[in-house]
Structures are given as structure tokens and as C-alpha cells.
Amino acid sequence: MAYTFCNSCGHRNPPESTFCSACGTVLDHPSERTIVLAKVDALQDAPGDQDNVQVLLSEFRGNQNGHGLLVMRSGDRSGERFSLTLERVEIGRNPECTVCLDDVTVSRRHVELRLGSDGYLVTDMGSLNGTYVNQERVEEILLQNGDELQVGKYRMVFFDGASNS
């Protein structure tokens, strides 16, 4: 399911929504949509007061191969983008990983994202702290547009470049 994100508060709404169910703001037309990712505090209590991360859908939707995009949602690397242009992307603390997250909460080879015919498959590679998608621990799962991927203390939002919503 492709979600509709609110530009005011960043809340994830069902695709048929015209108003945000969290704040009541009118949602944009899909072709003009900008997504706001609200900051998350370290204790996961509520969105913080800091600036939000904005992602223009045109950043990745226009590419001819429909590659995905991971956007860092929190921490000192907030707003950083990782284009998933390879068929296999490895995330971990090891500098040889495609996406290197240098923190003790991340295993050397933490998680693998592999592009298949159905989309991006996330596979935990035996990490100590686990891999989470939408705050649920997973061993292997197919990512959907708007899913939040947590690797150690890092939270990233996945955007499917092949999605038209």
C-alpha cells in the first residue's frame, strides 16, 4: 500500500485520504506531493521541536530504473539520502558496506537490501540488536513505500522509486 504523507505534520495516511487524520490539513494532489518527515526524539516519545526533513518526490521518481531511496530520519545524519541504485545494498558498521553507519548499535554487517521482481527485500544478517521495520523486529520482509527501517539507533524511511503514488 502506498501512503499519503501530510506536509504539515508528516503523518502517514491511507492513499485515498484528502485530509490528514492527525492534524486535519488538506493533503496535496499526488503529482505535487512533498513529504515531511518529522524528527523523532531519542526516547521515541513524540516528534521534537527541531526542523523537519523534506523530500521532494521528484528526487527519485524520475529515474528510469525506479530505484528506491532511503532517507535518514533522525540523529546527526538526519536528512541524508541513500539512493538504492545497486541490486544488493549492505548496511553496517564495516567501511566496506554500501551504507556505512559508524555506531556501536550497528553490527559490522547488519542488514541487506536486495532488489527483486517484487521490490526490495530486507534481510537481517544476524545482527546483535536486530533490524526493525515499522518498529517490529524482522528477519526478512519486503519493504513497502513509506516503511521505516531501523538499523541500530538509525531510523530511515524507504521510498519506492517505482511507485506512482
Side-chain angles (χ1 to χ4, degrees):
M1 172 189 283
Y3 294 96
T4 302
F5 290 86
C6 176
N7 285 335
S8 295
C9 69
H11 181 74
R12 183 168 59 179
N13 296 282
E16 65 277 357
S17 299
T18 54
F19 295 94
C20 177
S21 61
C23 69
T25 301
V26 176
L27 299 173
D28 289 324
H29 185 273
S31 63
E32 301 169 357
R33 198 169 292 145
T34 299
I35 299 168
V36 177
L37 303 176
K39 290 267 188 172
V40 177
D41 70 4
L43 299 176
Q44 302 177 12
D45 291 334
D49 300 321
Q50 302 165 353
D51 295 334
N52 293 323
V53 176
Q54 293 191 0
V55 179
L56 297 174
L57 295 181
S58 59
E59 285 184 47
F60 63 94
R61 185 174 285 153
N63 72 46
Q64 65 274 19
N65 296 325
H67 295 295
L69 177 74
L70 285 174
V71 179
M72 193 67 72
R73 182 175 182 159
S74 61
D76 57 343
R77 295 177 73 173
S78 180
E80 194 170 337
R81 290 147 166 80
F82 303 102
S83 181
L84 305 176
T85 56
L86 302 173
E87 286 189 27
R88 181 180 177 275
V89 173
E90 195 173 270
I91 300 174
R93 196 174 71 234
N94 188 325
E96 294 175 3
C97 288
T98 316
V99 177
C100 180
L101 302 176
D102 191 18
D103 187 79
V104 295
T105 61
V106 179
S107 296
R108 286 183 189 91
R109 293 197 185 321
H110 198 106
V111 68
E112 173 187 80
L113 281 75
R114 186 176 295 275
L115 180 60
S117 58
D118 294 334
Y120 289 90
L121 185 67
V122 172
T123 306
D124 185 88
M125 298 175 70
S127 66
L128 182 63
N129 291 327
T131 300
Y132 294 81
V133 173
N134 298 328
Q135 300 178 354
E136 290 185 30
R137 191 170 183 156
V138 298
E139 293 300 318
E140 190 170 85
I141 193 169
L142 189 64
L143 280 179
Q144 303 296 317
N145 194 39
D147 281 349
E148 181 184 74
L149 173 65
Q150 183 177 347
V151 176
K153 72 174 188 177
Y154 296 96
R155 292 172 175 257
M156 297 163 272
V157 178
F158 170 74
F159 296 99
D160 186 359
S163 174
N164 291 324
S165 36

